[in-house]
Amino acid sequence: MGTEMVSVDEIPFPTHITIATKPLSLLGHGITDIEIHFLQIKFTAIGVYLEPEIVGHLQQWKGKPANELAENDDFFEALIAAPVEKFLRIVVIKEIKGSQYGVQLESVVRDRLADADKYEEEEEEALEKIVEFFQSKYMKKNSIITFYFPSTSPTAEIGFSTEGKEESKFKVENANVVDTIKTWYLGGTRGVSATTISCLANTISAELAK
């Protein structure tokens, strides 16, 4: 197990990964990109790994077509809230300074928390530490950013690895910040990658139909 690969924009993603104790399955994948003057610029490829048991927590959406699920933020709220391990593997396509990625993450999370009236000193401190973690990194093509969300605690472990260097890790312990990062990548219509959200909806809709 773990040797099968799925190609996401020519980048290989293993179909299974074990982070803690349970094997997680690749249930969604896609890319982040923008279009400028009809030219598509791709930034990252994303793989979303979840415990297969997550399907048991989403039974109320059984029978719903995938295109309907992709538009349903309540469905993705339930997916985010399900007490299962979640792991994001993000591979860099277009190289970028770590500081740019860190600041982008910070501004998205800060704005969303401020809108929800949850942005206090603790959140600000947690975000500053994330920016600091990415500050010195250089994200060349094929560098890997990971987010591991355990099932039992509202924390996140961020990892970064690039060719020729050891993986560096950082733990985020602010629950509001962790939740907002999950929403940025897994939040349905609020997610950063529509292709990933659509793929997740397709996979889970098919699993629910079994």
Side-chain angles (χ1 to χ4, degrees):
M1 206 163 72
T3 48
E4 273 183 67
M5 292 284 176
V6 169
S7 181
V8 182
D9 212 73
E10 296 177 11
I11 293 168
F13 280 77
T15 53
H16 296 89
I17 282 182
T18 301
I19 305 301
T21 51
K22 297 178 180 174
L24 308 181
S25 302
L26 179 64
L27 295 187
H29 52 77
I31 58 165
T32 57
D33 63 341
I34 56 168
E35 207 173 272
I36 300 175
H37 304 306
F38 305 108
L39 190 70
Q40 186 193 28
I41 297 171
K42 297 172 185 176
F43 294 112
T44 61
I46 300 170
V48 179
Y49 293 84
L50 303 165
E51 285 181 45
E53 290 77 10
I54 193 160
V55 175
H57 297 279
L58 301 171
Q59 286 300 313
Q60 70 183 92
W61 283 278
K62 197 178 176 71
K64 293 267 191 293
N67 58 342
E68 211 176 288
L69 291 183
E71 299 290 318
N72 188 329
D73 285 349
D74 289 343
F75 167 73
F76 284 97
E77 282 289 326
L79 181 145
I80 289 167
V84 299
E85 282 178 44
K86 302 171 185 77
F87 182 73
L88 304 174
R89 183 174 187 264
I90 299 152
V91 182
V92 176
I93 297 173
K94 182 173 172 48
E95 60 182 51
I96 180 179
K97 286 179 181 162
S99 54
Q100 287 172 279
Y101 178 82
V103 166
Q104 183 192 14
L105 182 65
E106 178 196 34
S107 65
V108 168
V109 172
R110 184 185 56 223
D111 292 352
R112 290 184 179 191
L113 285 173
D115 283 350
D117 215 13
K118 288 179 178 174
Y119 188 66
E120 304 289 339
E121 214 170 291
E122 292 88 345
E123 284 70 30
E124 188 179 356
E125 273 174 31
L127 282 174
E128 274 170 13
K129 285 178 185 164
I130 293 174
V131 171
E132 218 171 278
F133 172 75
F134 283 113
Q135 190 71 42
S136 60
K137 314 284 186 271
Y138 188 72
M139 301 183 169
K140 54 186 179 186
K141 188 172 164 63
N142 294 327
S143 301
I144 299 171
I145 307 156
T146 58
F147 291 91
Y148 170 61
F149 305 103
S151 56
T152 48
S153 68
T155 59
E157 187 175 78
I158 303 175
F160 177 74
S161 57
T162 190
E163 198 186 355
K165 291 195 178 173
E166 267 188 46
E167 184 180 18
S168 40
K169 290 188 171 180
F170 173 73
K171 196 168 187 183
V172 186
E173 295 185 320
N174 180 290
N176 286 332
V177 169
V178 169
D179 219 38
T180 310
I181 294 172
K182 285 182 193 170
T183 308
W184 191 38
Y185 276 107
L186 302 171
T189 60
R190 297 155 302 163
V192 68
S193 164
T195 47
T196 304
I197 293 302
S198 162
C199 181
L200 270 172
N202 278 319
T203 307
I204 293 173
S205 171
E207 286 297 319
L208 284 166
K210 286 179 180 175

